[in-house]
Amino acid sequence: MPITIKKVKAIPTAPGGTNLIVVKVETSEPGLYGLGCATFAYQVKAVCTVVEDYLDPLLQGRDVDDIEELWQLMYQGAYWRNGPIANNAISGVDMALWDIKGKIANLPLYSLLGGRYRKAAAVYRHASGSNIDEIEERVSYLVNHGIRHVRVQWQGYGGAKNVWGDFPEDVPEGANKGIYYDPRTYVRKAVELIAHVREKFDPNLEILHDVHERLPLPLALEFAKELEQYRLFFLEDLIAPEEPEALDQVRQNCTTPMALGELYVHPMEYTEAMTKRRIDFMRMHISCIGGLTPARKAAVLGSYFGVRTAWHGPPDLSPVGHMANLHLDLSQPNFGIQEYCNVNARIFEVFDGYPDLRNGFIYPNNRPGIGVEMDENAAKRFPPKEGVTGWTHTRLPDGGLHLP
Ligand code: MG
């Protein structure tokens, strides 16, 4: 008798202050269930609706073993495909099915993905602040705790509201509120910061930086070329995914390694970026591309084109998602680096089984499946925040909107 899907439900929660969504797939086998990450922090209800009103009835009674078939069924089920709402909902189910498969086999997920290519995954951590001393202090702290890869950044990605002040007073009369920044100032201050960190610390320290798509192409080119001398591990999101050909110009003009992809949702975006050798690191948020099944395929594709993985690992990812990243990190030969952020302690009131950070590496807990448990009653104590987010309202000095 096959084990079948009995119920699919979405569990939104925000124990650390950031909205998280976990999908639970219950099976015909008493006590056997799986958890998957479907976190799209800014449109929680939309994802929960897709999971409970459309995927649950589609999947009930189907064999939990058939992950590829079920993934494709969800993907083409509503005819139009892709987008963060649909992909996150699919991801929640997809990861939960892999979790169930691991529990049935009594093996950790990395074992099903090919076994351990490495025992732990190296991480990069963030150092940011509103002045150079503060950032230097944070880098020192991280280095003293065994971290070898540090992303250095002005606070708020250089938005004037947070760091360089005063733009809101210079903008045109009646300009809308937002997070103001100036691209030219951004480049000048970022180069100053990166040069300082490169000079102050051991030459083997790996430095990373995230542009967050904030520069027009000529400045982006100037910036990437200028940074060559500081030997970055990677420069992230120098170019928006809407302008993929612009990366060819970057490639022709400098050697700074390119990381891209946390905003990718469509497979053609990352397939083309890899096969045309436009990027060195893929940065996808794996729930936003549809879960483990497409992420594993993307990792394999990248291995044929010299592209390493650097999966997105922000606070708006549940512990289930962080562990899914880690299982891929451990098992895929072309792993590059894993992003790892501070964890709010209240997360542990709801979840058990987070990746364990020791001396610059994260380790799995080796439980069967993904290895994360969730206290659903505790989750209810931390309801998700409703409403619209404002951090994406980035503006240029003339008041015009710019990508966040
Ligand atoms: Mg980023």
Side-chain angles (χ1 to χ4, degrees):
M1 276 282 281
I3 298 171
T4 56
I5 294 173
K6 200 170 114 191
K7 175 132 199 76
V8 181
K9 66 177 186 181
I11 309 167
T13 185
T18 302
N19 291 342
L20 306 173
I21 309 169
V22 171
V23 166
K24 183 176 187 181
V25 174
E26 295 169 351
T27 73
S28 55
E29 188 83 5
L32 177 64
Y33 64 89
L35 299 177
C37 186
T39 298
F40 182 20
Y42 311 119
Q43 295 186 343
V44 172
K45 284 183 176 172
V47 175
C48 294
T49 298
V50 173
V51 169
E52 300 202 335
D53 291 357
Y54 301 104
L55 299 186
D56 176 49
L58 173 72
L59 298 170
Q60 278 190 28
R62 296 182 191 271
D63 191 335
V64 297
D65 194 52
D66 302 336
I67 297 179
E68 287 284 353
E69 145 87 7
L70 297 182
W71 191 92
Q72 190 64 30
L73 199 59
M74 293 187 283
Y75 182 64
Q76 69 186 50
Y79 186 49
W80 278 278
R81 304 181 283 277
N82 294 298
I85 295 167
N87 286 357
N88 269 287
I90 293 169
S91 165
V93 174
D94 175 70
M95 284 186 202
L97 291 173
W98 280 102
D99 193 25
I100 290 167
K101 197 181 278 295
K103 287 173 176 172
I104 291 171
N106 198 28
L107 291 169
L109 178 60
Y110 62 72
S111 186
L112 304 185
L113 297 173
R116 271 202 280 189
Y117 196 83
R118 55 188 65 75
K119 305 298 182 202
V123 299
Y124 77 85
R125 305 209 60 199
H126 298 182
S128 70
S130 54
N131 64 65
I132 288 230
D133 291 344
E134 197 183 327
I135 301 171
E136 187 186 320
E137 207 173 293
R138 171 75 178 156
V139 177
S140 290
Y141 171 86
L142 293 172
V143 167
N144 291 336
H145 284 77
I147 302 295
R148 298 160 193 83
H149 303 75
V150 181
R151 191 191 81 164
V152 298
Q153 214 76 35
W154 290 100
Q155 200 173 332
Y157 300 103
K161 184 183 163 193
N162 298 307
V163 190
W164 304 316
D166 298 343
F167 268 127
E169 289 166 23
D170 300 338
V171 297
E173 293 167 19
N176 287 311
K177 282 186 184 162
I179 298 175
Y180 280 77
Y181 85 102
D182 172 54
R184 175 57 69 188
T185 311
Y186 178 100
V187 167
R188 182 169 53 78
K189 297 286 284 186
V191 170
E192 193 183 304
L193 171 63
I194 291 163
H196 180 84
V197 172
R198 176 50 82 216
E199 199 214 294
K200 282 273 171 179
F201 290 89
D202 186 289
N204 284 333
L205 176 71
E206 295 285 9
I207 300 173
L208 299 78
H209 182 76
D210 187 354
V211 178
H212 244 251
E213 327 161 74
R214 293 199 167 184
L215 303 174
L217 182 58
L219 257 185
L221 279 168
E222 182 187 312
F223 186 48
K225 283 172 71 173
E226 179 89 19
L227 291 180
E228 271 187 329
Q229 61 187 306
Y230 305 115
R231 308 181 314 281
L232 259 55
F233 186 77
F234 68 53
L235 183 62
E236 179 182 352
D237 282 350
L238 179 68
I239 302 292
E242 288 91 338
E243 298 180 72
E245 300 84 1
L247 281 164
D248 294 337
Q249 287 190 56
V250 178
R251 291 305 229 187
Q252 285 151 16
N253 282 285
C254 80
T255 59
T256 298
M258 290 292 129
L260 212 85
E262 75 180 55
L263 282 148
Y264 287 159
V265 286
H266 195 291
M268 284 313 294
E269 292 171 318
Y270 48 87
T271 300
E272 195 170 68
M274 289 192 269
T275 56
K276 294 197 169 169
R277 294 183 183 269
R278 286 172 169 155
I279 60 173
D280 301 286
F281 293 89
M282 62 181 99
R283 284 277 294 142
M284 285 84 91
H285 187 112
I286 70 174
S287 68
C288 280
I289 60 166
L292 269 162
T293 295
R296 181 177 62 92
K297 292 174 184 176
V300 172
L301 179 69
S303 73
Y304 294 113
F305 292 92
V307 183
R308 288 183 275 170
T309 64
W311 307 117
H312 196 217
D316 54 322
L317 184 67
S318 75
V320 182
H322 284 286
M323 275 298 291
N325 280 345
L326 178 54
H327 285 288
L328 285 166
D329 299 340
L330 297 176
S331 58
Q332 303 307 300
N334 56 322
F335 164 71
I337 193 75
Q338 180 59 58
E339 182 179 29
Y340 188 90
C341 296
N342 275 339
V343 189
N344 185 303
R346 281 198 305 276
I347 292 278
F348 301 110
E349 293 182 33
V350 176
F351 296 97
D352 175 45
Y354 209 82
D356 191 19
L357 174 66
R358 301 196 299 271
N359 200 32
F361 295 97
I362 48 173
Y363 294 80
N365 55 42
N366 299 318
R367 293 174 189 160
I370 290 178
V372 176
E373 294 304 322
M374 181 178 194
D375 181 337
E376 289 180 60
N377 285 324
K380 287 182 194 144
R381 295 205 306 269
F382 306 102
K385 280 176 288 191
E386 305 284 348
V388 295
T389 188
W391 80 267
T392 49
H393 303 189
T394 308
R395 293 185 184 278
L396 295 167
D398 70 355
L401 269 173
H402 192 274
L403 289 173

